[in-house]
Amino acid sequence: MTNLDINLFKDYIEPLTPVSKTGVNCFGVCKTKRLKEDHLCFINGAGPLKEFLDYHEQNKNIDLEKMTFVIDRQFYEKQKDNLKIIEEDRVYLTTEFDRSICEISKWFYDDQKKDQQHLVDGRQTGECSIDPTARISQNVFIGENVQIANDVTIL
């Protein structure tokens, strides 16, 4: 489980209630129509709110106290009553919704990819599997953990 340091994003998201959290335990970001515990969920309009409410209604086993929500501030102010099922200490508000999605998603992507090798070809490190019948042009980079099947041509 990755411990997301929510303070990295304090320039554009802030907690709804004054709490001092140093981290939020979560694996990644989830969609409003596919909620996952220990994930972060973004809500910014009527469509995502309806997806969230519908999904939660059909899947009561999802514990919302094990999730974190980033919600557009203006939208939250208009929809407070519909969002009461989310504990206030699980809500972060933003006036820069698109930037929040980008920056937080990038953090998860970078964390997931931090150990991958992008400079040395997988053929040199032995970290790939290439069938002997495959034909590969010169100057083609093969990443680590790549598998190339038989009779494949890469130009």
Side-chain angles (χ1 to χ4, degrees), residues 1-154:
M1 184 180 299
T2 302
N3 189 35
L4 172 66
D5 184 359
I6 204 77
N7 291 320
L8 293 173
F9 312 104
K10 67 182 177 186
D11 291 342
Y12 42 92
I13 68 170
E14 61 184 55
L16 178 61
T17 57
V19 294
S20 58
K21 287 188 181 180
T22 56
V24 175
N25 290 329
C26 53
F27 290 111
V29 175
C30 69
K31 295 182 177 187
T32 52
K33 58 186 171 186
R34 213 173 277 130
L35 301 176
K36 297 180 183 176
E37 292 177 0
D38 298 316
H39 279 67
L40 211 127
C41 184
F42 295 95
I43 301 175
N44 72 329
L49 176 60
K50 182 178 180 345
E51 289 174 353
F52 163 72
L53 294 172
D54 290 349
Y55 190 88
H56 185 257
E57 182 65 31
Q58 295 169 5
N59 299 277
K60 295 281 189 184
N61 58 329
I62 299 288
D63 185 356
L64 297 181
E65 290 185 26
K66 292 184 179 177
M67 295 183 65
T68 301
F69 296 86
V70 175
I71 304 174
D72 180 78
R73 178 179 290 284
Q74 284 184 325
F75 183 73
Y76 181 83
E77 295 301 327
K78 293 176 187 173
Q79 296 292 330
K80 279 182 191 176
D81 291 338
N82 291 325
L83 293 164
K84 284 185 178 177
I85 63 172
I86 304 171
E87 295 292 326
E88 288 187 352
D89 67 340
R90 308 304 302 168
V91 175
Y92 288 81
L93 301 178
T94 182
T95 56
E96 297 183 56
F97 191 80
D98 292 341
R99 181 177 179 198
S100 299
I101 290 175
C102 291
E103 296 289 341
I104 293 172
S105 297
K106 180 184 181 310
W107 186 90
F108 283 109
Y109 178 84
D110 290 347
D111 185 63
Q112 183 182 33
K113 302 293 183 184
K114 69 183 173 203
D115 296 327
Q116 286 189 346
Q117 172 59 260
H118 297 287
L119 301 175
V120 181
D121 193 292
R123 292 171 285 194
Q124 293 173 302
T125 63
E127 296 290 324
C128 68
S129 171
I130 303 172
D131 188 275
T133 62
R135 293 173 300 223
I136 303 171
S137 296
Q138 292 182 11
N139 298 323
V140 171
F141 180 85
I142 308 294
E144 64 182 23
N145 302 320
V146 170
Q147 294 181 343
I148 300 176
N150 60 330
D151 297 322
V152 171
T153 300
I154 301 176

